[in-house]
Amino acid sequence: MALTQKEQQRYKRHLMLPQVDEAGQEKIKNSRVLIVGAGGLGSPVAMELCCAGVGTIGLVDFDVVDVSNLQRQLLYTENSVGKSKVQQAKERLKSMNSDIKVICIEDKLDKSNATEIFEKYDIIVDATDNFDVRYIISDTSVKLGKPHVYGAIYEFYGQVAVLGGDGPCLRCLNPEPPKQGEIVEAKDVGVFGAIPGVIGSLQACEVLKLIIGAGRTLKGRMIFIDMLNMTFDEVEIPKYPKCSCCGKGEK
Amino acid sequence: MMLNDLPYPDWHEGLTIQGVIEHMNYTWPKLVTKVNGQLVWPEDYGNVVLQENDDLKIHHLLAGG
């Protein structure tokens, strides 16, 4: 679908970039991105993609807004407390860009519904807060051949990678999620307020680059950011030949 | 040998990545490890013998959002 005159005005600064231009903006407009998790990471991802003009944004979250979310979850206001995250997010996103479509999936993502939900989208953004769902996202993205834009945070630290599609997956990094009780739950850990904004914006940047096919994405790479000491590191992730999901599962 | 950009004072012949993890008492269950820029898969932590000039990086694999 071509851009309207109003859209040409709205996205003028994108159209000035040769890496985007009108063809790229049309791709952004016609794209469908699913964000799993509408919290700390999901907020900046959704807002950035909304502003950039992603035509359809799906949001998966079953939770309601808690007052302790307001320290970092940019989508919500004091009036959102106690209300459905995805419904509040939709209201906010539509007020930022009424041309886009926001689809609310007020449910827990699990093995039984992941495929049906993911099928309708081009790119899957992982903005969840636990390993179990992250492995479901990874496995389903590989199964459907869709890119999985991974982002995760903890205290002052964050990491981003592009997994899934025909590249390596989360199981190439670590074959299995941790066992129950092996790891502290996200709700019991501190998070420095600005961290999700940084990591979520990087995820949104990778999503947009994947849509328009610009530059070098983080496909098969993970970056690590220590924002307490402001240091950066990265690692190439080769496909693990024995991977039970994307490899041959050799023993 | 360097560990996360700092000199590792306890390097010795035959030291493995698993040896460093245990000596440093890293208890995080999911790690991402690289030696001289190359990812090392978890099943190889006990097999990769570190040399005196190696650069070892150990990161936590995070899940918070």
Side-chain angles (χ1 to χ4, degrees):
Chain A
M1 208 189 305
L3 299 182
T4 63
Q5 202 172 2
K6 185 181 136 203
E7 287 167 335
Q8 285 180 353
Q9 287 262 297
R10 179 168 188 141
Y11 303 112
K12 189 170 82 175
R13 300 292 288 269
H14 258 175
L15 303 187
M16 291 161 79
L17 294 168
Q19 295 88 344
V20 184
D21 69 26
E22 193 150 339
Q25 192 62 45
E26 281 176 24
K27 286 182 188 168
I28 294 171
K29 178 182 177 179
N30 295 322
S31 64
R32 303 171 62 91
V33 179
L34 182 72
I35 304 167
V36 186
L41 291 173
S43 289
V45 176
M47 292 165 85
E48 296 278 6
L49 297 182
C50 168
C51 288
V54 167
T56 303
I57 296 175
L59 285 171
V60 186
D61 207 306
F62 64 94
D63 214 353
V64 296
V65 180
D66 184 82
V67 70
S68 66
N69 298 153
L70 301 181
Q71 163 252 18
R72 66 197 180 284
Q73 300 190 9
L74 306 175
L75 276 168
Y76 310 115
T77 67
E78 290 174 4
N79 288 331
S80 309
V81 174
K83 297 175 184 165
S84 153
K85 278 191 175 179
V86 290
Q87 296 298 339
Q88 288 294 296
K90 180 177 182 176
E91 206 173 290
R92 179 79 188 275
L93 295 171
K94 291 293 282 184
S95 76
M96 293 168 71
N97 188 345
S98 59
D99 294 333
I100 69 158
K101 193 171 171 187
V102 179
I103 297 170
C104 297
I105 301 144
E106 209 165 343
D107 204 353
K108 271 191 180 181
L109 189 89
D110 59 32
K111 283 180 189 167
S112 73
N113 62 11
T115 301
E116 191 188 341
I117 294 171
F118 284 22
E119 275 174 343
K120 302 178 184 78
Y121 296 89
D122 308 315
I123 297 173
I124 314 301
V125 179
D126 184 346
T128 57
D129 64 359
N130 68 87
F131 275 114
D132 288 342
V133 177
R134 288 178 183 278
Y135 276 79
I136 292 170
I137 293 172
S138 179
D139 292 350
T140 311
S141 299
V142 171
K143 182 173 131 188
L144 299 176
K146 296 181 191 280
H148 163 203
V149 180
Y150 188 95
I153 54 171
Y154 183 89
E155 296 179 342
F156 289 87
Y157 312 100
Q159 44 204 218
V160 186
V162 176
L163 306 168
D166 59 355
C169 72
L170 188 52
R171 290 186 192 275
C172 291
L173 269 178
N174 231 299
E176 297 293 332
K179 296 183 185 76
Q180 200 76 27
E182 226 178 9
I183 213 151
V184 192
E185 280 194 53
K187 66 178 174 53
D188 299 324
V189 176
V191 181
F192 195 57
I195 303 291
V198 174
I199 299 300
S201 292
L202 291 175
Q203 287 180 278
C205 191
E206 291 304 294
V207 169
L208 294 169
K209 283 160 59 191
L210 286 166
I211 294 169
I212 63 176
R216 183 184 175 212
T217 68
L218 283 171
K219 182 178 176 182
R221 286 188 293 154
M222 180 172 272
I223 55 166
F224 304 87
I225 307 178
D226 168 353
M227 277 174 262
L228 189 59
N229 299 299
M230 208 45 87
T231 60
F232 301 80
D233 194 17
E234 76 165 81
V235 67
E236 297 267 352
I237 311 165
K239 281 188 86 150
Y240 181 45
K242 297 178 189 174
C243 180
S244 61
C245 183
C246 72
K248 292 178 182 162
E250 298 157 8
K251 298 287 175 200
Chain B
M1 194 198 97
M2 300 293 283
L3 170 62
N4 292 343
D5 297 322
L6 293 171
Y8 182 74
D10 299 304
W11 177 84
H12 55 82
E13 291 282 346
L15 179 68
T16 62
I17 295 173
Q18 189 60 38
V20 174
I21 291 169
E22 286 168 14
H23 183 251
M24 297 300 290
N25 199 25
Y26 290 148
T27 56
W28 193 263
K30 298 292 155 186
L31 300 171
V32 180
T33 297
K34 63 175 187 172
V35 176
N36 303 326
Q38 302 293 309
L39 181 81
V40 179
W41 285 307
E43 68 171 19
D44 293 327
Y45 291 172
N47 307 325
V48 174
V49 176
L50 297 160
Q51 306 302 312
E52 196 168 4
N53 294 326
D54 279 348
D55 179 17
L56 172 63
K57 295 270 175 65
I58 300 179
H59 295 284
H60 293 171
L61 183 63
L62 307 179

